[in-house]
């Protein structure tokens, strides 16, 4: 990387790279990046954006100019791509994506990618990955498959009830998902998700509830107690003709509890102020009463002691996924593995900021025996990169919101496309 710009070390020459400001699903600006290789192959990537972010995430760069988009513009990040990044990446022959990503990290020079902006860097990294896959004559998921890993079609986790910071309702838990673990194929899993979503809409309407949607396309009813929602989900699953449970359609929760742990150190849930230990007991009861197979961010990102207890108590029978606590960071995940905190990690490209580091995070999980749930953000574009990442990594799990709204179904539709082209790929969570 320190070689002069004219040196020929690799085969990939980027001739053009540029970004523009587009809108995400919440109507907020986000960068879209386009990369062109010598020979004319071009690829585009749209950058996602979170709302319930972890404090250690790579930093999204926003303009802060209150005169544009209420301060949320990304012209600075776009200019970083069009200026400094384009200058650094064009005119040099790159060996592979790892070398490109390392150059981006070095050029930025900060631990949190805040100088150029993680939203600039991740867009470039994703577009480069796509372009290199096309250049190799491979589908993106094939190109992303690490050596020695078997690709699989993931279980889609459809977020059908939204709360927390994703909806203006009194529900403290952020996400209630349905996961067709027992579906025979990916297509049948998508069908189950859509049919249960439809059944749920009818049930809510019958009960006089609003059927307006939260940020990820799930319904946002005026409900308060998590258990009330779980009972409703079981009813919807059954009403749609499916079996609620691991053999059929299971439930997954993302309380996103960092958002409702207050300065008093308590978790404020439905009017109660619970300690970490009381939260663990609440989850234990929930998992005994309802077919909940996965809990993400059950405790807050700074409550590592609580997490250790939660893992000890429920880790044998429930998948415990770290999102805000791990932020797709290989070093933090490695630390968690050594401390037996959680047994799975959420995987979000923009939390760490490059495709290479994301793949490292997943490799760290595989080595430590931790499962991985590939994830969208609450602010999305129609970019479907994460569908390919979930398939190629063989992790067997993807969450991309409701089975509705264009930016959410773009991911599920990409899975359907891959499944149709490759009926030989197995569906589901990998056998233990
Ligand atoms: P975010 O939420 O994209 O708003 O951060 C998603 C999640 O917490 O999993
Ligand atoms: Zn989460």
């Amino acid at each position: 990387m320190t070689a002069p710009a004219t040196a020929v070390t690799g085969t990939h020459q980027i001739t053009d790279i540029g970004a523009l400001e587009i809108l995400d699903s919440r109507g907020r600006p986000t960068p879209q990046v386009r990369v062109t290789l010598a020979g004319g192959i071009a690829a585009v990537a749209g950058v996602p954006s979170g709302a319930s972010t972890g404090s250690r995430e790579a930093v999204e760069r926003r303009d802060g100019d209150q005169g544009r988009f209420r301060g949320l513009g990304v012209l600075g990040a776009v200019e970083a791509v069009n200026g400094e990044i384009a200058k650094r990446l064009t005119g040099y022959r790159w060996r592979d994506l790892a070398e490109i990503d390392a150059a981006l990290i070095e050029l930025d020079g900060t631990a949190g990618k805040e100088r150029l902006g993680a939203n600039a860097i991740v867009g470039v990294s994703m577009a480069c990955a796509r372009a290199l896959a096309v250049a190799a004559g491979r589908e993106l998921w094939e190109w992303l498959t690490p050596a020695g890993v078997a690709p699989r079609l993931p279980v889609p986790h459809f977020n059908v009830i939204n709360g927390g910071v994703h909806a203006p309702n009194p529900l403290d838990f952020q996400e209630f998902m349905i996961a067709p673990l027992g579906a025979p194929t990916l297509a049948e899993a998508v069908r189950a998700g859509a049919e249960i979503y439809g059944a749920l809409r009818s049930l809510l309407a019958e009960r006089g509830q609003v059927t307006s949607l939260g940020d990820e396309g799930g319904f946002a009813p005026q409900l308060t107690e998590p258990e009330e929602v779980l009972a409703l989900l079981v009813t919807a699953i059954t009403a749609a003709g499916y079996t609620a449970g691991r053999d059929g359609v299971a439930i997954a929760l993302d309380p996103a509890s960092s958002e409702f742990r207050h300065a008093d150190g308590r978790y404020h849930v439905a009017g109660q102020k619970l300690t970490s230990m009381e939260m663990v007991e609440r989850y234990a009861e929930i998992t005994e009463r309802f077919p909940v197979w996965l809990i993400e961010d059950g405790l807050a990102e700074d409550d590592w002691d609580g997490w250790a207890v939660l893992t000890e108590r429920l880790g044998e029978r429930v998948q415990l996924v770290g999102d805000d606590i791990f932020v797709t960071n290989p070093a933090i995940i490695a630390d968690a593995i050594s401390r037996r905190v959680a047994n799975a990690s959420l995987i979000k490209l923009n939390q760490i900021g490059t495709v290479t580091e994301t793949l490292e995070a997943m490799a760290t999980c595989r080595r430590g025996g931790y499962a991985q749930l590939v994830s969208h953000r609450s602010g999305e574009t129609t970019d479907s990169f994460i569908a390919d990442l979930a398939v190629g990594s063989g992790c067997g799990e993807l969450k991309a919101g409701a089975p509705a709204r264009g930016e959410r179904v773009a991911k599920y539709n990409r899975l359907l496309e891959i499944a149709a082209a490759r009926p030989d790929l197995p569906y589901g969570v990998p056998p233990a």
Side-chain angles (χ1 to χ4, degrees):
M1 267 173 308
T2 46
T6 49
V8 179
T9 59
T11 55
H12 304 295
Q13 195 177 355
I14 296 169
T15 54
D16 190 52
I17 176 161
L20 73 149
E21 188 178 60
I22 63 166
L23 294 181
D24 75 10
S25 55
R26 274 193 283 249
R28 296 177 185 171
T30 195
Q32 175 179 280
V33 179
R34 182 182 188 87
V35 166
T36 309
L37 302 180
I41 288 168
V44 172
V47 176
S49 172
S52 65
T53 50
S55 65
R56 296 208 269 179
E57 289 194 21
V59 181
E60 184 178 75
R61 182 170 167 192
R62 300 259 175 205
D63 299 334
D65 169 3
Q66 295 300 326
R68 294 186 76 250
F69 295 106
R70 298 182 305 127
L72 297 174
V74 292
L75 292 182
V78 162
E79 180 45 36
V81 177
N82 293 337
E84 267 191 78
I85 293 177
K87 186 161 177 281
R88 179 69 185 86
L89 294 191
T90 52
Y92 177 76
R93 292 179 181 275
W94 303 95
R95 276 193 296 266
D96 52 24
L97 185 68
E99 197 183 36
I100 294 172
D101 285 344
L104 288 167
I105 291 165
E106 186 190 72
L107 181 67
D108 175 77
T110 66
K113 301 186 175 68
E114 63 260 32
R115 195 180 71 79
L116 297 169
N119 45 349
I121 293 171
V122 79
V124 171
S125 182
M126 289 162 68
C128 285
R130 271 212 174 93
L132 264 51
V134 175
R138 313 292 293 277
E139 287 287 333
L140 181 58
W141 65 266
E142 290 179 295
W143 186 84
L144 287 168
T145 305
V149 166
R152 314 176 64 82
L153 295 161
V155 174
H157 286 61
F158 300 103
N159 183 5
V160 293
I161 296 280
N162 293 186
V165 300
H166 292 166
N169 60 2
L171 195 56
D172 298 303
F173 282 19
Q174 180 178 283
E175 303 172 18
F176 293 78
M177 295 169 271
I178 46 173
L181 294 180
T185 62
L186 183 273
E188 288 300 312
V190 171
R191 178 182 157 202
E195 290 179 355
I196 296 163
Y197 185 72
L200 186 57
R201 180 193 281 114
S202 303
L203 274 173
L204 287 168
E206 273 167 29
R207 295 174 187 201
Q209 279 287 344
V210 291
T211 51
S212 55
L213 306 181
D215 286 356
E216 298 188 349
F219 301 111
Q222 296 293 314
L223 297 172
T224 313
E225 299 288 346
E227 289 81 359
E228 216 181 338
V229 177
L230 288 163
L232 185 69
L233 288 187
V234 170
T235 307
I237 292 167
T238 314
Y242 295 92
T243 310
R246 291 183 192 219
D247 298 338
V249 180
I251 296 173
L253 291 176
D254 178 9
S257 65
S258 300
E259 298 291 334
F260 56 82
R261 188 183 201 220
H262 291 244
D264 60 2
R266 302 283 179 120
Y267 293 87
H268 295 202
V269 181
Q272 288 181 288
K273 296 177 180 179
L274 306 175
T275 62
S276 300
M277 295 312 113
E278 287 167 340
M279 284 296 285
V280 171
E281 283 318 305
R282 182 86 173 247
Y283 291 132
E285 281 166 29
I286 280 177
T287 55
E288 269 152 35
R289 277 180 64 195
F290 301 100
V292 170
W293 96 283
L294 176 155
I295 301 172
E296 173 188 334
D297 279 1
L299 294 174
E301 64 164 271
D302 51 3
D303 188 4
W304 281 69
D305 293 342
W307 264 99
V309 176
L310 176 66
T311 310
E312 170 82 35
R313 180 90 162 80
L314 293 180
E316 288 294 318
R317 54 193 181 90
V318 181
Q319 191 174 114
L320 301 169
V321 183
D323 174 13
D324 289 355
I325 186 174
F326 296 164
V327 293
T328 316
N329 185 312
I332 300 175
I333 295 169
D335 185 25
I337 291 170
S338 71
R339 291 160 67 172
R340 293 175 182 275
V341 159
N343 56 27
S345 179
L346 205 70
I347 300 293
K348 289 168 168 169
L349 288 150
N350 77 328
Q351 276 184 327
I352 187 72
T354 63
V355 174
T356 301
E357 290 164 289
T358 304
L359 297 175
E360 269 168 40
M362 298 186 90
T364 304
C365 288
R366 278 196 302 273
R367 282 195 299 274
Y370 274 35
Q372 305 122 67
L373 171 56
V374 173
S375 172
H376 66 154
R377 297 309 301 247
S378 50
E380 270 291 337
T381 71
T382 51
D383 190 297
S384 60
F385 194 105
I386 56 168
D388 285 77
L389 179 62
V391 174
S393 66
C395 70
E397 302 175 28
L398 173 72
K399 73 165 193 175
R405 296 181 37 149
E407 79 282 2
R408 310 298 150 185
V409 300
K411 283 69 167 170
Y412 300 127
N413 289 344
R414 173 62 181 152
L415 292 182
L416 288 169
E417 197 174 274
I418 297 169
R422 289 294 299 270
D424 58 308
L425 289 178
Y427 165 78
V429 174

